[in-house]
Amino acid sequence: MNLKLRVWRQRSAAEKGKMVTYQVTDVSPDMSFLEMLDVLNEQLILDGEDPVSFDHDCREGICGSCGVMINGRAHGNGLFDDHPQTTTCQLHMRSFKDGDTIDIEPWRATAFPVIKDLAVDRSALDRIIQSGGYISAPTGTAPEAHSILVAKKDSDAAFDAATCIGCGACVAACPNASSMLFTSSKVVHLGLMPQGQPERNDRVVNMIHQQDLEGFGGCTNIGECSASCPKGISMENISRLNHDLLGALRAGARPKS
Amino acid sequence: MALDLFTVGDPIADTKAPRDVPIGERWSERRFRAKLVNPANRRKLTVIVVGTGLAGGSAAATLGEAGYKVKSFWYQDSPRRAHSVAAQGGINAAKNYRNDGDSVHRLFYDTVKGGDFRSREDNVHRLAEVSVNIIDQCVAQGVPFAREYGGLLDNRSFGGTQVSRTFYARGQTGQQLLYGAYQALERQMAAGTVEQFARTEMLDLIVVDGRARGIVARNLITGEISTHFADAVVLATGGYSNVFYLSTNAKGSNATAIWRAHKRGALFANPCYTQIHPTCIPVHGEYQSKLTLMSESLRNDGRVWVPKERGDDRDPRQIPEDERDYYLERLYPSFGNLVPRDIASRQAKNVCDEGRGVGPNGLGVYLDFAEAMQRLGRPAIEAKYGNLFDMYAQITGEDPYEVPMRIYPAVHYTMGGLWVDYDLQSTIPGLFVIGEANFSDHGANRLGASALMQGLADGYFVLPNTINDYLASGPFEKVDAGNPAAVEALEGVRAQTERLLSINGTRTTASFHRELGRLMFDLCGMERSEESLRKALDRIPEIRQEFWTNVKVPGEAGRFNQSLEHAGRVADFIELAELMCVDALHRNESCGGHFRAESQTPDGEALRDDENYAYVAAWEWTPEGAPPVLHKEALEFDYVHLAQRSYK
Ligand SMILES: Cc1cc2nc3c(=O)[nH]c(=O)nc-3n(C[C@H](O)[C@H](O)[C@H](O)COP(=O)(O)OP(=O)(O)OC[C@H]3O[C@@H](n4cnc5c(N)ncnc54)[C@H](O)[C@@H]3O)c2cc1C
Ligand code: SF4
Ligand code: FES
């Protein structure tokens, strides 16, 4: 099939960007979305033009590197009825039709400055983890694994929350650019495990505080995040986070600095 | 033998394992004999750790906890994206929770045997010993492993073993283990013990007075090339499967860090030992950029078959039972579908070579769950493998609950890597190598669920207990950017970068990478012969020559330039490919993943030649024009009896 792409081009954070139109021909339905961009880039290189930069690595939907807005939707989620929510690298061209026009843009959020074209800086998410998204268990201190029992339902629910890949689609999709779904997934994962209890209150207040410092917006329960999340992280995590946060504040927990 | 292609140097040996005590006491004895660094002095010692996968992430976090000054480097935006994140199936540990006869000794034995008797007993035994601590550590970090209703940890079995010792977190074990290490690492970053260098690629090693003292790295956002110094350098940069272009590794996985260290004097061991994984989604087209693994755990319930008749292109569901060949069950009645990976892959190749392969290009076999669905019911299959089935459906557009999956082998893991001793130190003092980047534990074939185990063993427990022996003689004399070795390394990297950008030829980097990959898969892949390897060795220098005169790399050095990153990596892959072929050619025996057509048993199994090849081949780099030098480390088997591997 033949497609018309309108791609956001921006040479660096300091320079202005704009949409540029390209034609790609002979796209196979079995190609992944990123393979289609590879084909475009090969063509651009041979024509002496600058290829389009985009983050990617595993290309199997697990590393969280990739992610672009496709026709206004993060990872293209929500555009196709029959397609499960997924990452950009796992979207295949069979979801498109010959002659389609596709708009491709980077994640847009104050906390995610553009590096070049479609690649953005998501290090703010790492700093949220740094502020408390862990259990303090220095190497060598662990007791025998079976000395801690974890109910299967808690472990399964913790796992569901823990599958967040840190891609940032939730932020990109949210009209407030809130990172609440991301933060809640870690708060809930660790909060459901018995090992996570001692730091539970501090964790939630510190992570929320850091999230604010990074310039992410507040959550107003719109739900675009969950609808765009490739891992189907549910909004219920946000309610649980709010519940934990209230409890923590009531118990007197306050952010570190 | 191909004597024109290499020369033989002095033998090499590990001197760190205390062989004067029995194998079960060596690790504890080594820790006792190793010099310690006083906690107050650790702050004065800097360690560079390159890589944040299971190996590098766990090492950097643990060294930070111990109080060293750590500098952590990686090429992605976040440490959480290291390719360890993609591991699906699980991690082994000799916990014997199933009471099924497992023990440290059995895990040791299985790993030595699975590696086809080409690994070092001391290292493997230690791996088996610390395996149990890894599970404890990860559980304490909150890793949500699969559990039973009683709240205890669940286990499953994996290829090459008959006990159930694999711990897992649905089909995302690597992800969850990595996040455990990543969170520990972020915690140390917040504590200020670990300094972070995101999106920074190591491009050379700085060796001063014979010691590894730093690295040259490029900031991938600004393009700035700079030097970084330390008292010791740890490489945890993963495997080199991307030599083959198509592999299950991430697009950015590369050999650059270890290859540049090799060119600075670190010996490269067993480069030809590569693992081709039997259960991957087949190639679908020319534009394909990577291959996707379907976890080997699928072989627990899926049955592998092809039609008995060649060219039978009926819908698989229409092919009656007695016209199917469940060839693994037929050839290996006791292990059946759970034979080790090298065997499963080669048999898939054999049936496809016979013309019985399935799918559009005949390069595929069925992995069928119909029987398991009947026996266990669809919900049980969904619970166990749901995410894998979904992934298969997304990629192929076919529903594996309805139609059997099609699978074909793909390059997956590299057992070879930089040579290290028992302390995980390379032949350059102060350069340590951990995880997939070293050659240490898997011999000629790695068993499933053993790489995660090794990466975390190295990073959490081994390196932090051995590196002190080296650091105890530090802090070493201060080195700065003005040091001649540092200047030379920095200028070398700058020159190469400029050269790549100035060629301005007519072919893209990707076209060279694809060409190299196809050549390596065909001539140095699942089966190798003197003829195929000689052909590869004729062709690779031509590819290298053409690359350096005709590649077209767009953009500038001082900016975010992904084309430039790729070009540098491909330049190194081309050189490494040549060494892999030399190694494969020199090893005139079959062992594990290295199958030489000339060396097989009458029924087509790998035939080892212990008399001539029971050694590690450690290669020394020589400047262009001179052949590499082979150093042999003799392998002794005192605890596991050398025997022909049998899974019949
Ligand atoms: C799809 C797949 C499934 C697997 N499943 C399993 C399984 O179920 N069980 C199992 O035991 N094993 C499995 N393996 C193997 C296992 O995952 C890997 O061997 C292991 O995770 C490697 O870990 P590592 O820390 O050595 O390297 P990696 O995780 O690859 O990390 C490499 C790190 O080095 C950095 N890096 C690389 N080059 C440079 C450079 N030049 N400069 C700076 N930084 C650099 C990267 O940024 C990254 O942080 C699987 C592998 C794959 C590909
Ligand atoms: S919650 Fe979902 S969308 Fe947000 S970062 Fe995690 S995986 Fe991505
Ligand atoms: S490239 Fe890893 S999730 Fe898409």
Side-chain angles (χ1 to χ4, degrees), chain A residues 60, chain B residues 50-56 73-76 82-84 86-91 158 200-202 236-239 248-249 253-254 256-257 293 412-413 434-437 446 448-453:
Chain A
E60 51 186 79
Chain B
V50 188
T52 61
L54 286 179
F73 293 78
W74 65 94
Y75 72 75
Q76 297 93 341
H83 199 50
S84 294
Q88 303 169 350
I91 177 165
F158 245 61
T200 308
E201 183 171 26
M202 165 175 167
T237 50
T248 64
N249 282 15
S253 296
N254 67 88
T256 290
L293 174 87
H412 176 57
Y413 183 88
I434 60 177
E436 191 173 339
R446 175 176 70 77
S450 290
L452 301 185
M453 170 171 72

Side-chain angles (χ1 to χ4, degrees), chain A residues 16 30 57 66 71 79 83 142 162-163 173 191 197 207-208 232 234 249:
Chain A
K16 270 194 132 132
D30 286 332
D57 204 21
C66 69
N71 289 339
L79 292 175
H83 201 283
T163 56
Q197 299 314 310
M207 289 178 76
I208 291 293
S234 104
L249 291 173

Side-chain angles (χ1 to χ4, degrees), chain A residues 57 60 126 130 144 186, chain B residues 95 182-183 186 251 290:
Chain A
D57 204 21
E60 51 186 79
D126 290 322
Q130 267 176 33
E144 188 344 280
K186 193 46 63 190
Chain B
K95 284 281 196 189
Y182 156 70
Q183 287 161 204
E186 293 293 337
K251 289 299 285 175
K290 78 153 295 183

Side-chain angles (χ1 to χ4, degrees), chain A residues 92-148:
Chain A
H92 283 73
M93 297 314 291
R94 65 178 80 89
S95 293
F96 296 88
K97 298 187 306 297
D98 186 40
D100 276 357
T101 297
I102 311 177
D103 283 358
I104 310 175
E105 292 170 85
W107 288 167
R108 303 232 185 250
T110 319
F112 290 167
V114 170
I115 292 172
K116 180 168 183 288
D117 303 332
L118 306 172
V120 302
D121 179 355
R122 288 168 291 192
S123 53
L125 298 181
D126 290 322
R127 289 189 293 273
I128 294 178
I129 298 296
Q130 267 176 33
S131 70
Y134 49 73
I135 287 171
S136 301
T139 306
T141 56
E144 188 344 280
H146 267 176
S147 64
I148 311 163

Side-chain angles (χ1 to χ4, degrees), chain A residues 7-18 52-55 67-69 104-123 172, chain B residues 199 221-222 559-560:
Chain A
V7 185
W8 181 260
R9 302 304 311 263
Q10 180 173 350
R11 272 164 60 87
S12 70
E15 287 154 275
K16 270 194 132 132
K18 61 168 194 289
V52 179
S53 296
F54 57 91
D55 272 320
V68 292
M69 303 300 281
I104 310 175
E105 292 170 85
W107 288 167
R108 303 232 185 250
T110 319
F112 290 167
V114 170
I115 292 172
K116 180 168 183 288
D117 303 332
L118 306 172
V120 302
D121 179 355
R122 288 168 291 192
S123 53
Chain B
R199 292 203 199 247
I221 298 181
T222 64
R559 280 177 180 273
F560 190 65

Side-chain angles (χ1 to χ4, degrees), chain A residues 125 163-170 181-182 185 225 228-231 233:
Chain A
L125 298 181
T163 56
C164 160
I165 56 175
C167 64
C170 45
L181 193 66
F182 167 82
S185 71
C225 52
S228 302
C229 171
K231 297 292 140 178
I233 302 293

